[in-house]
């Protein structure tokens, strides 16, 4: 058997390939960024080919890097599975967007841990879609209009109703959609304010602040910076606690729904079933 590259070098490459960033890979592994970069350079020298393109703001896998990443990730998953089988360490990884994680999942997650004290949960909160084959993800929650890929199972979690929310102080100052034009409208990446205003019969060009994530628009609304158009399920806790108010009865119903997504043949069917059933129970 030919001598394999050092395990630390392969681990450094695999983490860097997932994050496309040496700093984030170093934080995951628990070493310095320089150590990760050095390990990857050594691996590239041993293979005689570049695995990454170094960019000003991160990394990009080369063709060789892409070819190397997928089987290496599968190999690490096999090692992790073997360890889990012997150590009785039951862990499930769930992929969600940052906004869904902070505004819906995390506040409820302790209930899952109470119901299943022998299962650990890894939350992967990133905007990019998870790859069940290479990222080690067992189950995901995603917002989508288009049909989910045929090789995946998708179960509706809840349909999306967008509601106007603001701080209680601001909410008390408006009584109709037309009044919104006097205030700042907080928009997220979905950009649904124009559709809401059109359907409500409001004319004119509003002042807006745009955010890349829904959670940021919600937080800005809580702090009194303006009115947000938010997914009703994502602001239910803030409305109940009184941190936010819903001043208008007009809502926007959109087909941008949340789905629970799993592989047709999950790696851990029992744990995936527990998480799926628990997610549905929380709606």
């Amino acid at each position: 058997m030919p001598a394999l590259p050092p395990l630390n070098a392969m681990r450094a490459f695999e983490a860097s390939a997932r994050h496309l960033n040496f700093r984030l890979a170093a934080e995951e592994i628990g070493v310095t960024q320089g150590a990760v970069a050095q390990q990857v350079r050594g691996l590239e020298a041993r293979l005689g080919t570049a695995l990454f393109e170094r960019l000003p703001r991160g990394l990009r896998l080369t063709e060789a890097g892409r070819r190397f990443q997928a089987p290496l990730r599968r190999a690490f998953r096999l090692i992790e599975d073997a360890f889990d089988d012997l150590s009785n360490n039951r862990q499930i990884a769930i992929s969600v967007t940052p906004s869904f994680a902070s505004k819906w999942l995390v506040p409820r997650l302790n209930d899952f841990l109470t119901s299943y004290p022998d299962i650990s949960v890894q939350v992967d909160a990133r905007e990019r879609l998870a790859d069940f084959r290479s990222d080690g993800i067992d189950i995901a929650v995603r917002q989508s209009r288009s049909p989910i890929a045929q090789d995946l199972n998708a179960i509706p979690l809840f349909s999306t109703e967008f509601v106007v929310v603001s701080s209680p102080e601001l909410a008390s100052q408006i009584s109709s959609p037309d009044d919104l034009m006097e205030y700042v409208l907080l928009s997220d990446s979905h950009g649904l304010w124009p559709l809401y205003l059109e359907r409500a019969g409001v004319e004119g060009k509003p002042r807006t602040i745009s955010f890349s994530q829904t959670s940021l628009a919600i937080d800005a609304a809580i702090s009194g910076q303006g009115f947000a158009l938010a997914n009703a399920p994502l602001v239910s806790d803030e409305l109940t606690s009184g941190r936010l108010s819903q001043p208008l009865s007009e809502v926007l119903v959109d087909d941008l729904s949340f789905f629970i997504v799993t592989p047709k043949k999950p790696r851990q069917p029992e744990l995936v079933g527990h998480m799926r059933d628990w997610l549905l129970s929380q709606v």
Side-chain angles (χ1 to χ4, degrees):
M1 179 182 294
L4 293 174
L7 182 61
N8 285 342
M10 292 191 288
R11 188 181 178 202
F13 164 75
E14 192 277 328
S16 300
R18 276 188 288 109
H19 293 291
L20 294 178
N21 186 290
F22 285 148
R23 178 182 60 81
L24 295 177
E27 291 176 0
E28 176 183 317
I29 297 173
V31 298
T32 66
Q33 179 176 339
V36 169
Q38 183 177 0
Q39 291 280 7
V40 172
R41 283 196 299 270
L43 187 59
E44 290 175 320
R46 181 160 184 159
L47 292 171
T49 186
L51 299 173
F52 293 108
E53 295 178 33
R54 275 70 169 175
L55 305 175
R57 294 189 178 182
L59 304 168
R60 179 189 297 144
L61 284 164
T62 63
E63 176 60 29
R66 286 191 291 271
R67 288 168 52 199
F68 192 40
Q69 180 195 19
L72 190 61
R73 181 57 194 156
R74 289 195 296 269
F76 275 114
R77 289 302 301 179
L78 287 173
I79 294 172
E80 293 165 3
D81 291 346
F83 179 81
D84 290 346
D85 288 342
L86 292 178
S87 66
N88 293 321
N89 178 29
R90 286 153 56 87
Q91 176 174 285
I92 186 168
I94 179 170
S95 171
V96 294
T97 63
S99 294
F100 185 87
S102 63
K103 298 302 180 184
W104 195 90
L105 179 63
V106 171
R108 294 166 170 79
L109 201 52
N110 190 58
D111 181 80
F112 179 87
L113 299 177
T114 300
S115 301
Y116 301 98
D118 62 324
I119 301 177
S120 299
V121 179
Q122 177 187 348
V123 178
D124 187 324
R126 288 181 283 181
E127 293 291 351
R128 76 175 183 84
L129 295 178
D131 188 328
F132 290 107
R133 293 170 297 181
S134 61
D135 291 347
I137 298 299
D138 297 294
I139 187 170
V141 176
R142 278 294 182 265
Q143 203 172 3
S144 176
R145 286 193 181 91
S146 58
I148 304 298
Q150 292 184 352
D151 60 338
L152 301 174
N153 286 327
I155 301 174
L157 181 59
F158 41 71
S159 57
T160 302
E161 184 179 80
F162 289 87
V163 297
V164 176
V165 294
S166 69
S167 66
E169 180 181 359
L170 274 184
S172 66
Q173 299 178 30
I174 70 169
S175 59
S176 74
D178 290 309
D179 296 334
L180 292 169
M181 302 303 290
E182 303 297 323
Y183 300 90
V184 173
L185 303 186
L186 309 168
S187 180
D188 61 15
S189 58
H190 300 307
L192 291 175
W193 266 120
L195 182 59
Y196 176 91
L197 296 174
E198 177 186 344
R199 291 186 180 178
V202 178
E203 298 181 353
K205 186 176 181 179
R207 293 176 296 155
T208 62
I209 301 176
S210 297
F211 298 91
S212 61
Q213 295 179 7
T214 302
S215 60
L216 299 177
I218 295 172
D219 289 341
I222 292 173
S223 65
Q225 296 185 42
F227 292 86
L229 186 61
N231 310 84
L234 300 191
V235 292
S236 60
D237 291 344
E238 281 82 0
L239 289 171
T240 300
S241 68
R243 298 176 69 201
L244 284 175
S245 293
Q246 181 183 341
L248 301 174
S249 60
E250 290 83 359
V251 302
L252 174 64
V253 178
D254 193 83
D255 58 357
L256 192 63
S257 301
F258 285 90
F259 294 88
I260 302 171
V261 184
T262 63
K264 287 190 178 293
K265 294 183 178 180
R267 184 176 60 89
Q268 303 185 95
E270 179 192 355
L271 271 59
V272 166
H274 289 327
M275 177 60 77
R276 179 195 61 229
D277 294 344
W278 175 79
L279 287 168
L280 292 171
S281 75
Q282 296 300 301
V283 177

